[in-house]
Amino acid sequence: MNQSIEVKVPDIGDFSAVPVIEICVKVGDTVAAEDSLITLESDKATMDVPSPAAGVVKEIRVGLGDRVSEGTVIAIIEAVATASAAPAEVEKAAPAAPVAPAAASVAVTIAPKAAPQPIPAPVAPPAATLGNTHASPSVRLFARELGVDLSRVPATGPKGRIVKEDVTQFVKGVMSGAVAGAAGGASLGGGLDLLPWPKVDFEKFGPVDVQPLSRIKKISGQNLARNWVMVPAVTYHEDADITELEAFRVALNKENEKSSEKTGSKVTMLAFIIKACELALKKFPEFNSSLDGDNLVLKKYFHIAFAADTPNGLVVPVVKNVDQKSVSQIAVECGELAKKARDGKLGPADMTGACFTISSVGGIGGTYFSPIVNAPEVAILGVSKSVMKPVWNGQEFVLRLILPLSLSADHRVIDGALATRFNVHVAQLLADMRRALV
Ligand code: CAO
């Protein structure tokens, strides 16, 4: 026959009026013997109060933040009678031994075992969760069962505490690829131990309008955040003198307009930059690579992506096999891909396989900026607006059209000297494309 049991806070040593910081069950939940019902936190330790028997939670008599002492009734469990341990016997069983106050804040479980126990040693957090994590024993157990390193789980509970939902969210993130798993990709090492995202009631300060992020923004945001955190990138700046190249480009486009075989497409500076990058990738093959664990995968193909600004957010289409295309062909293809991007018509094939990315904001403005490496690529070139500048030629200042270049490179693969050589080579090619022939 089933029997109702009043679950009381057992002997918790010298502590009294200890706050309830977590309620692990709700009314109607079925629990097994020793499942955690609530978690208490004293100055020195967190303690789970487990169910003394298997059964169903009928009542919960405490709320979050309530202060409890030995003997406080916290819940009513309708226990399921078993042949081996009747609920009445369980209730009569020896109360938990006092919890040893720990020197540092540690997690312990108050375990009402059938046989009297000596003072239990605090349950140390598993090796994988050592560190500055703050979580109850039940959450630690939950994380341990799932193989989750708690030091990597952002906490949202009170006082930076990791609650069960945080572990669940973390696992969901790993499964969706938003967070690198323990075994996959580069390791975050000791974990970032970040504070939870600030929760601010902005309306307290003035009127606001809340808009959901677009699908593209959500996806690109997750990728950018991972790349920002996981790629130790350095940005190197360089100026390219494109005076002659721009004059040539303008002349070419004029010629094209007059020509009877009007193509309707313009040769763009972006197309020349893509060609210059392809040539630099050939000269410095480390730039055309990806890290794969302890291996560097060097690619023999040349696919270059460019960032395109669209009303729905940033997308990165890829021009494939640029080494087999002329600058004019690259310009045409970029135009087509940019249109597809703006119309939201890019397919997965249009956006995969890139070796290197160019992010050009030159049509808008800017001087220099620090682009985020588009992993698993190892470098990205940022291009800002070209401006006429006085340049000293050894005898006098002359006006030249200067294009600012900003190369971010993954320092695990590319050292500063190599990055600077790459930048200088791109700048030299843009200054005089005849270099491509020698
Ligand atoms: N300096 C000066 N002028 C430049 C320039 C530069 N570096 N680059 C382009 N321009 C000029 C072009 O010549 C063009 O002028 P005309 O109309 O007189 O010929 C004008 O600016 C507009 O160019 P554009 O930006 O439309 O074309 P593009 O080929 O240079 O670039 C694309 C195409 C898709 C890269 C661009 O439209 C775009 O989306 N840029 C933004 C990319 C972005 O958001 N990057 C940031 C990513 S990280 O958040």
Side-chain angles (χ1 to χ4, degrees):
M1 202 183 84
N2 291 351
Q3 183 178 346
S4 286
I5 302 174
E6 278 190 340
V7 184
K8 294 178 182 169
V9 175
D11 181 352
I12 48 175
D14 294 338
F15 303 112
S16 65
V18 181
V20 176
I21 55 149
E22 197 176 343
I23 297 176
C24 314
V25 290
K26 54 186 186 318
V27 172
D29 278 0
T30 301
V31 290
E34 298 198 23
D35 275 0
S36 296
L37 299 177
I38 63 166
T39 305
L40 313 177
E41 183 180 58
S42 74
D43 293 346
K44 300 226 169 93
T46 55
M47 301 157 269
D48 273 6
V49 179
S51 175
V56 176
V57 179
K58 285 287 158 196
E59 278 179 51
I60 295 171
R61 296 260 179 101
V62 288
L64 276 182
D66 284 1
R67 291 184 173 266
V68 297
S69 303
E70 182 184 349
T72 307
V73 178
I74 59 155
I76 306 290
I77 301 285
E78 189 171 83
V80 180
T82 64
S84 57
E89 282 169 352
V90 175
E91 199 183 15
K92 274 191 275 153
V99 174
S105 180
V106 293
V108 297
T109 300
I110 305 168
K113 300 278 183 223
Q117 297 278 308
I119 293 174
V123 178
T129 66
L130 282 171
N132 245 350
T133 57
H134 206 28
S136 69
S138 57
V139 171
R140 288 182 186 282
L141 178 67
F142 182 55
R144 199 159 55 235
E145 281 170 359
L146 295 173
V148 170
D149 176 355
L150 277 182
S151 67
R152 297 183 55 199
V153 178
T156 63
K159 293 195 210 160
R161 165 172 300 285
I162 299 170
V163 294
K164 198 174 173 191
E165 284 67 37
D166 296 335
V167 178
T168 311
Q169 282 307 321
F170 180 83
V171 171
K172 280 186 186 165
V174 171
M175 297 306 287
S176 69
V179 179
S187 165
L188 286 180
L192 290 175
D193 198 16
L194 297 175
L195 289 173
W197 192 255
K199 281 203 169 111
V200 179
D201 177 9
F202 297 103
E203 282 186 310
K204 272 200 321 207
F205 305 105
V208 297
D209 180 20
V210 180
Q211 293 177 352
L213 289 178
S214 71
R215 202 179 65 84
I216 289 178
K217 271 227 153 71
K218 279 199 242 170
I219 296 169
S220 63
Q222 286 178 336
N223 281 290
L224 289 164
R226 179 203 55 209
N227 298 347
W228 176 260
V229 168
M230 295 183 76
V231 179
V234 178
T235 305
Y236 308 83
H237 303 292
E238 184 62 73
D239 284 342
D241 181 340
I242 58 163
T243 318
E244 264 88 46
L245 185 61
E246 177 61 2
F248 174 62
R249 188 185 77 86
V250 170
L252 207 59
N253 284 336
K254 276 200 183 129
E255 245 175 57
N256 243 344
E257 268 174 37
K258 284 186 199 147
S259 141
S260 53
E261 304 160 25
K262 273 187 203 169
T263 57
S265 58
K266 285 200 297 191
V267 176
T268 59
M269 187 52 69
L270 178 65
F272 278 110
I273 297 168
I274 290 177
K275 187 47 88 179
C277 288
E278 169 223 313
L279 297 167
L281 290 179
K282 282 184 178 152
K283 190 173 167 80
F284 303 102
E286 291 92 335
F287 280 81
N288 196 9
S289 75
S290 284
L291 269 177
D292 181 18
D294 287 340
N295 293 326
L296 195 61
V297 180
L298 292 147
K299 295 154 203 167
K300 304 278 169 76
Y301 52 84
F302 299 87
H303 304 336
I304 295 187
F306 66 95
D309 183 30
T310 79
N312 288 324
L314 182 69
V315 287
V316 192
V318 185
V319 186
K320 304 268 166 55
N321 299 311
V322 289
D323 55 322
Q324 295 161 30
K325 292 170 183 163
S326 68
V327 172
S328 303
Q329 285 171 316
I330 293 170
V332 170
E333 210 173 310
C334 283
E336 288 167 357
L337 285 167
K339 182 171 183 324
K340 256 174 129 178
R342 282 190 294 273
D343 296 345
K345 292 196 173 138
L346 287 175
D350 295 320
M351 294 186 282
T352 45
C355 308
F356 181 85
T357 296
I358 295 168
S359 175
S360 171
V361 291
I364 305 163
T367 48
Y368 302 90
F369 67 107
S370 182
I372 297 176
V373 175
N374 192 17
E377 296 156 39
V378 294
I380 179 169
L381 184 71
V383 180
S384 304
K385 187 179 177 65
S386 57
V387 285
M388 294 300 280
K389 280 189 178 174
V391 176
W392 185 251
N393 69 1
Q395 280 145 1
E396 57 182 344
F397 279 107
V398 286
L399 279 180
R400 308 293 296 174
L401 185 61
I402 302 299
L403 180 72
L405 304 175
S406 306
L407 176 78
S408 291
D410 185 337
H411 215 317
R412 293 172 299 179
V413 179
I414 291 157
D415 292 333
L418 187 62
T420 306
R421 284 191 190 106
F422 182 95
N423 246 354
V424 167
H425 190 60
V426 170
Q428 285 176 336
L429 284 166
L430 293 174
D432 191 343
M433 273 287 180
R434 287 176 302 181
R435 284 178 182 276
L437 304 171
V438 292

